[in-house]
């Protein structure tokens, strides 16, 4: 049994690394298809052709694409993401200054959204067809249908412009107390939670509902088990795999939503850094940020897959 699980985990890890390699090719090709020249964009319109050619040679932009890809991939595997074309600073230093802020935002969002979504999803499954269930479903469908930028804009309009409770921008540098933290993170976390909670609650409800319809749950009811005992003792342990998938997929959606949220609230995170890099055609910085997002997505999906394998014996013998 342990050998089978180990083999499956190694297979998933190998597939994850292969996928990451394919993603690196796609990221490199897309960043090289961006319009404009990074060297000319960095030096400005007054730059001489000689200066532009020297900068292109300095960053290897004058070399063939396959050679540049292999050089970039080799350095990336060794932990060297290169230097920014715009300011010459190491990309790792630029990312290192912003990554902790993005991790704090993601962790805060996950701490709020995961317990809330799981509670709503489980209660909806327990009371299927009730007024509570219909209200949760209607709210979830409505929130999933609304894009993040619209939720963020409405939040700014209501809480910052009309009520004047919060600032329209996230001033994370001024945080000194818990109140400052709540005021800085309230609207970004609220915006991200709206869509994530809706998706996670719907998938959790579906996973628990499938288990509640299983014959073994009907047998437990006939033996006199109450609704809470049936859910906690029988349904939830068998729904861990699908719920882990729901949590991982919903949190992976956070990686896309954070691009919009950090931009709207001027949050000093890695997504905002990537948007600035796209504006200035800073290719090494764009590539490094894109690989971080893709790598985080693959890790979340792989963790969900591993949870499903460990919780469901049928997946160990495909």
């Amino acid at each position: 049994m342990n050998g089978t699980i180990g083999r499956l985990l190694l297979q998933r890890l190998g597939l994850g690394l292969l996928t990451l390699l394919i993603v690196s090719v796609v990221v490199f090709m897309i960043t090289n298809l961006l319009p404009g020249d990074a060297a000319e964009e960095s030096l400005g319109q007054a730059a001489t052709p000689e200066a532009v050619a020297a900068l292109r040679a300095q960053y290897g932009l004058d070399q063939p694409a396959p050679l540049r890809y292999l050089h970039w991939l080799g350095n990336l595997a060794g932990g060297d993401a290169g230097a920014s074309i715009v300011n010459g600073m190491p990309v790792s230093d630029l990312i290192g200054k912003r990554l902790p802020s993005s991790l704090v935002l993601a962790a805060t969002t996950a701490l709020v959204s995961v317990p809330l979504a799981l509670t709503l999803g489980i209660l909806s499954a327990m009371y299927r067809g009730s007024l509570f269930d219909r209200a949760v479903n209607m709210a979830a469908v409505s929130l999933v249908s609304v894009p993040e930028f619209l939720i963020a804009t409405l939040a700014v309009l209501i809480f910052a412009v009309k009520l004047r409770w919060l600032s329209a921008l996230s001033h994370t540098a001024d945080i000194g107390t818990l109140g400052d933290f709540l005021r800085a993170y309230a609207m970004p976390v609220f915006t991200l939670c709206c869509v994530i909670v809706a998706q996670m609650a719907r998938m959790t409800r579906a996973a628990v509902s499938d288990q509640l319809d299983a014959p073994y749950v009907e047998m437990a009811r006939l033996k006199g088990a109450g609704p809470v005992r049936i859910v906690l003792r029988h349904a939830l342990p068998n729904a861990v795999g699908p719920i882990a998938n729901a949590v991982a997929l919903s949190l992976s959606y956070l990686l896309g939503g954070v691009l919009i949220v950090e931009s709207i609230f001027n949050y000093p995170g890695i997504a905002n850094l990537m948007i600035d890099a796209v504006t200035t055609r800073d290719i090494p910085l764009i590539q490094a940020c894109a690989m971080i997002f893709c790598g985080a997505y693959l890790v979340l999906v792989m963790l969900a897959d591993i949870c499903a394998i460990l919780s469901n014996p049928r997946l160990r013998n495909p």
Side-chain angles (χ1 to χ4, degrees), residues 84-120:
S84 167
I85 295 178
V86 174
N87 53 32
M89 291 180 63
V91 169
S92 56
D93 289 352
L94 294 172
I95 292 177
K97 293 178 182 177
R98 298 290 194 95
L99 188 58
S101 297
S102 291
L103 292 177
V104 170
L105 178 60
T108 307
T109 304
L111 285 175
V112 175
S113 62
V114 172
L116 179 61
L118 295 185
T119 302
L120 290 175

Side-chain angles (χ1 to χ4, degrees), residues 202-314:
R202 282 172 56 82
M203 288 190 281
T204 301
R205 179 188 183 278
V208 177
S209 295
D210 285 343
Q211 297 302 321
L212 291 178
D213 291 334
Y216 70 89
V217 171
E218 184 62 26
M219 181 62 70
R221 287 196 187 97
L222 293 175
K223 290 183 177 179
V228 176
R229 180 180 173 82
I230 287 175
V231 170
L232 297 180
R233 183 71 182 271
H234 300 283
L236 271 184
N238 292 296
V240 167
I243 289 176
N245 263 304
V247 172
L249 291 176
S250 299
L251 291 182
S252 65
Y253 187 80
L254 174 69
L255 300 173
V258 79
L259 284 169
I260 299 170
V261 169
E262 288 192 5
S263 177
I264 290 179
F265 296 107
N266 197 28
Y267 186 83
I270 189 175
N272 216 358
L273 179 68
M274 184 178 177
I275 294 172
D276 293 340
V278 172
T279 306
T280 57
R281 310 291 191 275
D282 198 345
I283 292 177
L285 188 53
I286 299 172
Q287 291 171 337
C289 292
M291 290 303 295
I292 289 175
F293 280 111
C294 295
Y297 180 84
L298 285 175
V299 168
L300 286 172
V301 173
M302 198 160 58
L303 287 176
D305 209 11
I306 291 173
C307 286
I309 291 173
L310 295 177
S311 62
N312 190 346
R314 288 178 295 181

Side-chain angles (χ1 to χ4, degrees), residues 34-80:
L34 286 174
D37 187 280
E40 292 179 355
E41 190 73 28
S42 175
L43 295 175
Q45 295 180 350
T48 62
E50 292 77 12
V52 173
L55 187 62
R56 289 177 60 81
Q58 178 184 349
Y59 288 99
L61 299 176
D62 56 343
Q63 296 178 358
L67 192 60
R68 279 188 283 128
Y69 170 72
L70 292 176
H71 182 69
W72 169 69
L73 187 63
N75 288 338
L76 197 64
D80 181 11

